[in-house]
Amino acid sequence: MFARFLKDESGATAIEYGLIAALIAVAIIGGVSALGGQTAATFDSVTEGMKNAPSGGEGGGEG
């Protein structure tokens, strides 16, 4: 019975899959954090550009 327990690798496999999932999660979190910072900078740039843009005059619509 003890020998069968030592040969059973299903627990080790589950731990390996858990470690792989954790590493993938860390990579995703790092990528999202990097993209989030770049996205925020882009939106800030667009916001400043819109603030500094000349107004379209009166109405600006059809008429």
Side-chain angles (χ1 to χ4, degrees), residues 7-58:
K7 289 182 181 180
D8 185 15
E9 295 182 5
S10 62
T13 303
I15 291 171
E16 291 168 356
Y17 283 133
L19 289 172
I20 291 170
L23 289 174
I24 291 171
V26 167
I28 290 173
I29 290 169
V32 168
S33 296
L35 282 176
Q38 291 177 353
T39 303
T42 300
F43 279 120
D44 289 341
S45 174
V46 169
T47 300
E48 286 301 315
M50 292 176 72
K51 285 181 183 177
N52 297 331
S55 63
E58 292 184 29

